[in-house]
Amino acid sequence: QVELVESGGGLVQTGGSLRLSCAASGLTFSRYAMSWFHQAPGKEREFVAAISWNGGLTWYADSAKGRFTISRDNAKTSAYLEMNSLKPDDTGVYYCAADPNPAVVSTNFPQYWGQGTQVAVAS
């Protein structure tokens, strides 16, 4: 059974930082591209960042460029999202996702989703 478990969310002040983690199990992690999505209150889930299976390629939504960094550690079967210069608009639930196809992992249809971790940015 595949599981993606996010952690690291919490309450932070504007301008602060958080590091989200996504621990994967039940899949051959090194064969999956990974991504992060954000769902703000009352809004649809949106793509934030993605990383290829070996970490050699990363891509970001415009809102994340220059502030967020996605990374992975295949030995630990985990992916990460380093978030800096946080703004109140970054508030919401952050989900990690996995798909063997990097073209799919940044869409709304990856094969696996985590349950999410809550981030709140106070103004």
Side-chain angles (χ1 to χ4, degrees):
Q1 181 178 358
V2 174
E3 273 198 312
L4 302 178
V5 180
E6 300 94 335
S7 62
L11 174 64
V12 65
Q13 297 295 313
T14 294
S17 299
L18 283 174
R19 187 183 192 228
L20 306 183
S21 298
C22 173
S25 61
L27 75 170
T28 305
F29 184 75
S30 60
R31 294 182 182 177
Y32 281 75
M34 300 295 295
S35 58
W36 288 93
F37 285 74
H38 168 229
Q39 186 166 21
K43 296 188 177 180
E44 294 185 354
R45 190 158 46 188
E46 295 183 337
F47 168 74
V48 175
I51 188 166
S52 60
W53 65 271
N54 66 350
L57 185 63
T58 58
W59 56 106
Y60 298 88
D62 287 344
S63 60
K65 288 177 182 176
R67 297 191 302 130
F68 294 1
T69 303
I70 189 171
S71 61
R72 66 188 296 156
D73 185 336
N74 286 351
K76 295 183 178 179
T77 65
S78 292
Y80 308 97
L81 185 69
E82 184 77 33
M83 304 190 296
N84 299 310
S85 302
L86 284 163
K87 310 172 183 178
D89 284 349
D90 297 319
T91 293
V93 180
Y94 284 77
Y95 299 90
C96 70
D99 196 279
N101 189 339
V104 174
V105 79
S106 55
T107 71
N108 284 321
F109 306 103
Q111 187 173 6
Y112 301 111
W113 289 98
Q115 292 300 306
T117 185
Q118 180 75 47
V119 169
V121 183
S123 56

